[in-house]
Amino acid sequence: MTKTYNVTAKRWARGWELHIDGVGVTQTSTLSAADATAREYIALALDIDDESSFDVHVVPQLDAALAEQVKKAREQVREAERLQREAAIRQRDVARKLRSGGLSGREIAKLLDVSAQRVSQLIGRQAPKGAVAGLTTRAKKAAARTR
């Protein structure tokens, strides 16, 4: 099991103090560099050759009200992403049903308030079994050539 070092990042005048449980304290000028700085410090302090052999969990210390706002904002973004995925699935399903009902791509585009190109994407042929979702057009063409 990989060892995880918990790091509390505390804001100060010149950046962030990184309090690493059981190891020590170091500093970094930016929060975005905290992970790399903590890894380097841990490896040096504990004489570890491979900085990727352990995990680092950086938790910025914020006042309670601001920490709650950050938490809620992240939750809302995750929820919006989930809803967007569900809407895309529903839109694809409806577009295919409309197409099988005899409507043209332009009619479907008008009904769904999307472009005709988007309708083509939505009702395009389904991926063959075993195909990897999210392939680029180039990758799909390359895969088709190898079949």
Side-chain angles (χ1 to χ4, degrees), residues 125-142:
R125 67 183 188 93
Q126 293 185 345
K129 278 190 174 180
V132 177
L135 287 178
T136 62
T137 302
R138 178 180 287 164
K140 289 176 184 174
K141 288 178 181 177

Side-chain angles (χ1 to χ4, degrees), residues 74-84:
R74 292 175 83 176
E75 288 171 354
Q76 287 177 330
V77 167
R78 282 192 297 273
E79 177 66 6
E81 290 169 347
R82 184 188 66 75
L83 290 170
Q84 187 172 17

Side-chain angles (χ1 to χ4, degrees), residues 4-36:
T4 299
Y5 293 92
N6 292 312
V7 180
T8 303
K10 298 179 181 180
R11 187 82 172 115
W12 70 300
R14 294 188 178 147
W16 295 84
E17 281 185 345
L18 305 177
H19 297 259
I20 306 164
D21 289 353
V23 180
V25 179
T26 187
Q27 295 120 6
T28 184
S29 58
T30 64
L31 188 57
S32 61
D35 187 274

